[in-house]
Amino acid sequence: MLLTQLTYLEAIAETNAGTATVLQYLCPVGILAYTCVKDRVAPTLAEVVSMLLAIGGTFLIATHGQLNHLAINPKGLAWGVVSAFAYALYIILPLNLIQKWGSMLVIGVGMAIPGILMIPFSGLLSSSGNYRLDTWMALFGLVVIGTIFAYTAFLKGTSLVGAVKGSLLASFEPISAVFFAFVIMKEHFFIIDFLGMGMILLAVLLITLKDFIIQKEKGIL
């Protein structure tokens, strides 16, 4: 989880919250590709279309359709893609542990251990400690609201409505991130950026809706 958060924040620092969040949502496509390889099954037509949409959307965000230059900070693009990869690992790797010990314990330990290990590298020990009120408010928002409350609420909601519906609802996160980045942070986006973001979100929706339809047909939902 530390790698997920670190790469995501680095992507935000190099680009903006909206772009970083959309790039991180390449994660379901990565999980889909991993599952197809692991289970040695060919992707369905909907899955192929979703992969092409995700790749095409990333291409538009990165280049604005021009092959000879990047329209996005290369570091931001790299951090965003690594963030998606880390997010996929965050979902795939702890599955057995979560089934045995429960999600709250696994995530709690997963937050605590890397947090402690990163203290010597965070600059906290060498900091003068002269934090302003807005700094404390930002830390509170990042740690308590953006991490603890957000992950707990997501897990609780997923336990109530199911993983598929939870993933479908979570896909609204990039939309809200882009909206607030535009309205509050005054970030500038081009029409082609929105087109690329829309393609990535459509890819995520296709994957999620496919799972939703399959489970509904099986009578699971």
Side-chain angles (χ1 to χ4, degrees), residues 115-127:
I116 294 172
L117 293 176
M118 282 297 294
I119 289 177
F121 308 99
S122 65
L124 182 63
L125 297 178
S126 59
S127 173

Side-chain angles (χ1 to χ4, degrees), residues 2 4 11 15 53 67-68 71 80 91 114 118 134 148 167 186 215:
L2 174 64
T4 305
T15 57
L53 283 171
L67 294 174
N68 59 345
I91 293 174
M118 282 297 294
D134 57 347
I148 298 175
S167 298
K186 307 300 181 183
Q215 292 194 18

Side-chain angles (χ1 to χ4, degrees), residues 19-215:
T19 302
T21 306
V22 171
L23 289 175
Q24 189 183 62
Y25 264 73
L26 289 167
C27 161
V29 180
I31 294 176
L32 172 61
Y34 166 80
T35 303
C36 289
V37 173
K38 181 178 72 71
D39 297 338
R40 296 181 180 179
V41 295
T44 64
L45 178 60
E47 291 169 344
V48 172
V49 171
S50 68
M51 289 181 183
L52 293 175
L53 283 171
I55 295 171
T58 306
F59 170 77
L60 288 181
I61 293 174
T63 67
H64 285 182
Q66 300 182 34
L67 294 174
N68 59 345
H69 82 288
L70 285 176
I72 186 177
N73 186 328
K75 289 184 179 180
L77 177 61
W79 282 119
V81 173
V82 174
S83 174
F85 175 75
Y87 195 18
L89 291 179
Y90 164 71
I91 293 174
I92 295 170
L93 292 179
L95 286 177
N96 292 332
L97 289 174
I98 289 176
Q99 290 173 358
K100 183 176 181 179
W101 300 102
S103 58
M104 296 300 292
L105 177 60
V106 172
I107 289 180
V109 173
M111 288 182 177
I113 293 177
I116 294 172
L117 293 176
M118 282 297 294
I119 289 177
F121 308 99
S122 65
L124 182 63
L125 297 178
S126 59
S127 173
S128 62
N130 296 321
Y131 293 114
R132 303 192 307 268
L133 177 61
D134 57 347
T135 305
W136 285 111
M137 291 177 65
L139 285 172
F140 178 84
L142 178 64
V143 176
V144 178
I145 299 176
T147 302
I148 298 175
F149 175 76
Y151 276 97
T152 303
F154 174 72
L155 290 172
K156 180 62 177 178
T158 301
S159 69
L160 294 174
V161 303
V164 176
K165 289 182 180 178
S167 298
L168 184 60
L169 292 172
S171 65
F172 285 98
E173 179 186 353
I175 300 175
S176 63
V178 172
F179 174 78
F180 288 118
F182 179 75
V183 174
I184 298 177
M185 306 303 295
K186 307 300 181 183
E187 296 287 354
H188 184 68
F189 297 98
F190 296 93
I191 296 297
I192 199 165
D193 290 323
F194 289 115
L195 178 60
M197 292 174 183
M199 290 172 67
I200 293 175
L201 294 179
L202 182 57
V204 174
L205 287 174
L206 276 177
I207 296 171
T208 308
L209 287 174
K210 178 187 70 69
D211 292 338
F212 178 79
I213 293 171
I214 290 174
Q215 292 194 18

